[in-house]
Amino acid sequence: MSEKEVLSVIRGQEDATAKGDARANVDAMDPDVVVFDLPPPLAYRGEQARDIEGINAWFATWRNGVTVHMADPQLMIDGDLAVAFGLSRMTGIKTDGTKVDSWSRRTIVLRRIAGSWKIIHEHASFPMAMDGSGRAVTDLLP
């Protein structure tokens, strides 16, 4: 049962993102969540990670929404702690017409609190080109 519950939280947050529903997106997170996301800064903590206005501003940069989907997440569950990791695909069209179709690495840590699973940590990253450019490599395919 726990696997289904954990996946339900992850898929629910993905659905909220696809619908542009910032409230449902942050409802999946614990109030003390720590997020290492793709854009700066290095870490978002608590209410900074759960910033509905900021998430809505990001949603507004997309035409007809954006999808983020973790393909084939690997799950490890031990008691009230769960870890999901895998590759995540982001697709959409920015308001300036730029098409986005990129894969990144993603890890989500959840804890069961009072019977409900909540995201307590999320980490998304792109590999770096090791050529001295400091450039993120966003065009890799699984």
Side-chain angles (χ1 to χ4, degrees), residues 32-102:
D32 295 322
V33 67
V34 176
V35 177
F36 300 160
D37 209 349
L38 298 174
L42 288 172
Y44 295 86
R45 298 178 188 280
E47 289 309 308
Q48 185 185 26
R50 296 167 44 94
D51 176 13
I52 291 173
E53 287 181 25
I55 294 168
N56 279 327
W58 181 70
F59 287 154
T61 68
W62 299 91
R63 283 188 198 165
N64 303 316
V66 58
T67 61
V68 178
H69 179 74
M70 183 184 279
D72 191 29
Q74 303 299 300
L75 292 177
M76 295 185 293
I77 301 171
D78 189 359
D80 291 333
L81 191 64
V83 177
F85 59 92
L87 299 177
S88 192
R89 185 178 188 189
M90 181 186 314
T91 57
I93 300 174
K94 301 298 278 185
T95 54
D96 68 2
T98 302
K99 292 182 181 179
V100 174
D101 188 350
S102 64

Side-chain angles (χ1 to χ4, degrees), residues 14-26:
E14 292 173 344
D15 290 345
T17 297
K19 293 175 184 171
D21 185 344
R23 168 59 61 196
N25 185 290
V26 301

